Amino acid sequence: MQPPTVQDVYRARQIVYRHLAPTPLIRSAAMSDALGCEIFLKLETATPIGAFKVRGGLNLISQLSGAERERGVITASTGNHGQSIAYAARTFGVRAIIAAPEGANPDKVASMRRLGAEVVLTGRDFDAARGWAEAEAHLKGYRYVHPSNEPLLIAGVATASLEILEALPDVDVIVAPIGGGSGVSGHCIVAKSLSPDVKVIGVQAAKAPAVYQSWKAGQCLETPEAATWAEGVATRTAFELPLSVIRKHVDDIVLLSEEELRQGVVFLLESAHQLAEPAGAAPAAAARKLSARLRGKRVVLIVSGCNITKEQ
């Protein structure tokens, strides 16, 4: 279970681009003026599922063996990873089963089902659903797709970073949300390989700080709860593969309160007219919090997903 290299990311792009176009990278004049730096938004909201993870799903499912395709795949998700696997499974004609927590975002659940996946609502949170999926895979022989400990997933989502570095080679800082860690790991791998001076800053919810605590401790830790409004970053545990990359390459991890996360959604909507889910707006919230450190720099905020419900 070795981290992918930047060469793996280039190979993944050949697969991803058969199915997806590059997503926009736009400068926000209003956000730049408000924060005193050059703010660019990487709009992963423009993918077919409204989230960055579809890149990883396509790369992984495309490379399953014939036997694995025949058996079908199973995974766990709060929604966006599940949509990614469902989209890719439909693309390549593979059966997909997604375990989601009982209180999962209903819009994401409906999307997974529209894409043809069998969705099982089980457990109080993502980690409980993940436990069910792992047990079901062992019992019935499905190919289990771990939400983060998958080099092909990380290589796939890292293609977004290639697009950033090619469009904006003089970027100073990339700010990305952290759930399981595949996204920020991909940004680390690409940025540190192609432009080592680029700073990569991760963002977590203060009520779901497992990766932050694990990064500080140097080992995977688990928290008793992940009681954040931002379901896209609501995990109680860190995972070995992305944490190994994060420990080596990430420059900082910022924790946000629930109110800061909410204000991030508002800031992004009011200033850039971009609607994002809480995790997708977390980098905007972090940029407000870090404005003094970012002053005068070229900063890319990863708007990782737009699957926010009307109630949220």
Side-chain angles (χ1 to χ4, degrees):
M1 194 170 61
Q2 294 297 313
T5 65
V6 72
Q7 288 76 25
D8 295 322
V9 182
Y10 280 112
R11 283 191 286 270
R13 183 160 72 172
Q14 295 177 7
I15 295 167
V16 171
Y17 279 11
R18 293 173 196 161
H19 307 278
L20 304 179
T23 57
L25 180 69
I26 64 169
R27 180 183 182 274
S28 170
M31 294 178 74
S32 298
D33 288 348
L35 300 178
C37 58
E38 293 291 304
I39 294 289
F40 295 82
L41 305 175
K42 183 59 172 168
L43 298 180
E44 292 297 278
T45 53
T47 72
I49 67 166
F52 77 103
K53 286 182 179 284
V54 67
R55 299 169 180 267
L58 286 166
N59 190 45
L60 186 145
I61 299 295
S62 73
Q63 298 187 58
L64 294 179
S65 68
E68 288 173 324
R69 293 188 186 204
E70 186 70 25
R71 282 159 33 208
V73 299
I74 190 169
T75 193
S77 174
T78 58
N80 286 340
H81 166 67
Q83 290 181 84
S84 165
I85 296 302
Y87 183 92
R90 186 183 68 174
T91 299
F92 294 103
V94 177
R95 180 189 180 193
I97 303 167
I98 315 295
E102 292 169 353
N105 179 317
D107 292 357
K108 295 178 180 179
V109 171
S111 175
M112 289 186 280
R113 288 178 169 149
R114 279 195 302 270
L115 290 166
E118 303 166 38
V119 181
V120 178
L121 300 179
T122 179
R124 66 186 176 97
D125 59 16
F126 162 73
D127 294 283
R130 179 171 57 87
W132 181 90
E134 291 173 356
E136 194 76 357
H138 180 74
L139 181 67
K140 298 184 178 177
Y142 303 123
R143 197 307 195 170
Y144 175 60
V145 179
H146 193 284
S148 296
N149 284 337
E150 296 278 2
L152 293 173
L153 284 184
I154 294 174
V157 300
T159 59
S161 297
L162 291 180
E163 295 168 14
I164 292 169
L165 269 294
E166 289 171 357
L168 194 69
D170 55 354
V171 59
D172 296 308
V173 183
I174 296 173
V175 187
I178 301 178
S182 63
V184 76
S185 298
H187 294 299
C188 283
I189 289 165
V190 171
K192 299 299 184 178
S193 296
L194 301 185
S195 186
D197 290 337
V198 174
K199 304 298 183 186
V200 178
I201 299 176
V203 187
Q204 279 214 297
K207 288 193 171 184
V211 174
Y212 173 82
Q213 292 180 3
S214 300
W215 172 62
K216 287 287 193 182
Q219 60 181 322
C220 287
L221 301 177
E222 184 172 344
T223 58
E225 296 290 340
T228 176
W229 178 62
E231 78 273 359
V233 294
T235 178
R236 285 190 278 116
T237 186
F239 300 116
E240 294 87 349
L241 182 57
L243 184 63
S244 69
V245 177
I246 290 167
R247 286 192 61 211
K248 185 175 182 180
H249 290 303
V250 85
D251 293 285
D252 198 4
I253 298 177
V254 178
L255 295 180
L256 298 176
S257 69
E258 296 298 285
E259 182 58 25
E260 286 170 330
L261 287 165
R262 291 186 178 92
Q263 289 304 315
V265 173
V266 174
F267 179 49
L268 196 59
L269 183 58
E270 289 185 336
S271 299
H273 299 163
Q274 297 295 328
L275 182 62
E277 61 190 89
R288 294 181 74 197
K289 191 167 188 172
L290 301 176
S291 59
R293 284 171 54 184
L294 300 179
R295 192 167 301 279
K297 300 184 183 299
R298 289 182 175 86
V299 181
V300 172
L301 308 180
I302 308 300
V303 187
S304 60
C306 62
N307 297 309
I308 186 169
T309 67
K310 184 171 69 173
E311 290 73 19
Q312 285 177 319

